[in-house]
């Protein structure tokens, strides 16, 4: 029990340190902007450690309450300990009810996102034929006047979406740079990282760390995709394309 009483506060302190300290320490870091892959690794390592620390803290509190309940159930207690006995007896059930309520809350926040994702996936699978291939990746041109380019999945495979407005606005070298940028997103697994970041924000929208994580993950993914693109395309073409529209 003494061990549990020592470890539980340390776990809670680590969770608070990550949730409060990460936005202050990592946001707008010049080092991480120069090395975006390292920045992404640090953000998601901290997220995983805070998640595991939270689970461990809840488990320790539950085991502590259960141990106290078992000890008190085998000993007689006077009136002065009646409140402790009642609280300890109810603690496991309180924790169980709290955990169930948390699961219900998380499900309520995530269910609409899941439904929207399923609807979008069905629409993309049925309405987006591939117009051409770029470096082995299918590319679909959508009839949209404004410049647009992003990566999605169609029929289980990565697909680059680029608008007709982007193709009309950009020179051939710029289109090539944009496509390499999107290949960089595929290579880096950025869509998955973004989904995780937005999932964290959906579950904990009021925490500063979740908002900072989304902003930083978006920025680092773009920087890494840029770095990938300039290894295969002209840097000037990439910069001029970025000046014409944000992708």
């Amino acid at each position: 029990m003494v061990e549990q009483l020592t470890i539980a506060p340390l776990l809670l302190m680590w969770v608070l340190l990550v949730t409060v300290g990460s936005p202050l320490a990592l946001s707008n870091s010049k080092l991480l902007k120069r090395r975006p892959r390292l920045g992404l690794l640090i953000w998601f390592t901290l997220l995983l450690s805070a998640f595991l620390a939270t689970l461990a803290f809840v488990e320790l509190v539950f085991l502590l309450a259960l141990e106290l309940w078992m000890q008190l159930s085998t000993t007689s207690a006077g009136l002065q300990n009646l409140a402790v006995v009642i609280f300890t007896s109810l603690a496991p059930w309180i924790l169980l009810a709290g955990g169930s309520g948390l699961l219900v809350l998380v499900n309520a926040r995530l269910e609409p996102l899941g439904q929207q994702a399923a609807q979008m996936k069905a629409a993309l699978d049925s309405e987006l034929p591939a117009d051409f291939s770029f470096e082995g990746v299918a590319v679909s041109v959508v009839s949209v006047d404004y410049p647009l380019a992003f990566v999605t999945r169609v029929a289980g495979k990565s697909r680059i979406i680029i608008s007709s407005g982007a193709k009309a606005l950009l020179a051939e070298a710029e289109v090539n740079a944009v496509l390499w940028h999107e290949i960089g997103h595929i290579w880096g697994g950025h869509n998955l990282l973004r989904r995780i970041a937005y999932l964290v924000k959906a579950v904990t929208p009021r925490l500063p760390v979740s908002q900072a994580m989304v902003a930083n993950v978006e920025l680092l993914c773009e920087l890494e995709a840029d770095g990938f693109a300039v290894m295969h395309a002209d840097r000037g073409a990439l910069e001029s394309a970025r000046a014409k529209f944000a992708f």
Side-chain angles (χ1 to χ4, degrees):
M1 184 184 298
V2 176
E3 239 177 73
Q4 293 171 340
L5 289 173
T6 304
I7 296 174
L10 294 177
L11 293 171
L12 184 58
M13 287 175 61
W14 176 250
V15 174
L16 292 174
L17 179 64
V18 170
T19 55
V20 176
S22 296
L24 298 175
L26 300 180
S27 295
N28 299 318
S29 168
K30 293 182 179 179
L31 173 62
L32 300 187
K33 287 180 180 179
R34 289 196 301 268
R35 303 186 63 183
R37 175 56 60 170
L38 175 63
L40 291 169
L41 178 62
I42 291 175
W43 269 106
F44 283 96
T45 299
L46 289 174
L47 172 66
L48 179 61
S49 70
F51 176 72
L52 294 177
T54 302
L55 291 181
F57 175 79
V58 172
E59 181 183 6
L60 283 176
V61 172
F62 179 81
L63 292 176
L64 180 60
L66 185 61
E67 186 175 345
L68 286 172
W69 179 81
M70 293 178 64
Q71 288 180 1
L72 290 174
S73 66
T74 58
T75 59
S76 59
L79 291 177
Q80 66 274 19
N81 294 326
L82 184 60
V84 176
V85 172
I86 294 174
F87 173 77
T88 308
S89 300
L90 294 177
W93 304 106
I94 293 173
L95 289 172
L96 183 61
S100 301
L102 180 62
L103 288 175
V104 171
L105 177 63
V106 170
N107 183 66
R109 290 186 182 278
L110 296 185
E111 187 175 6
L113 297 179
Q115 292 175 349
Q116 292 173 9
Q119 292 172 358
M120 182 174 291
K121 181 180 182 302
L124 289 174
D125 287 348
S126 60
E127 299 177 8
L128 274 183
D131 293 293
F132 62 95
S133 178
F134 181 82
E135 295 298 320
V137 178
V139 181
S140 294
V141 180
V142 294
S143 297
V144 177
D145 292 336
Y146 57 87
L148 179 71
F150 62 93
V151 173
T152 187
R153 293 188 70 82
V154 177
K157 295 182 179 180
S158 295
R159 177 79 60 90
I160 297 174
I161 309 298
I162 188 168
S163 67
S164 56
K167 293 200 71 178
L169 177 67
L170 302 177
E172 183 178 352
E174 293 171 335
V175 172
N176 186 67
V178 169
L179 293 176
W180 275 115
H181 175 94
E182 300 305 328
I183 292 287
H185 283 312
I186 297 172
W187 172 83
H190 294 162
N191 278 5
L192 175 60
L193 300 182
R194 286 165 167 163
R195 279 197 295 269
I196 295 173
Y198 278 100
L199 179 64
V200 172
K201 185 179 179 181
V203 175
T204 58
R206 297 184 182 276
L207 288 182
V209 67
S210 63
Q211 300 172 18
M213 184 177 185
V214 167
N216 280 270
V217 166
E218 287 283 4
L219 174 61
L220 294 172
C221 286
E222 290 302 315
L223 292 175
E224 187 172 47
D226 279 350
F228 184 88
V230 297
M231 292 191 297
H232 301 87
D234 180 67
R235 180 183 292 274
L238 179 67
E239 291 176 352
S240 62
R242 183 171 286 283
K244 292 179 180 178
F245 78 105
F247 58 84

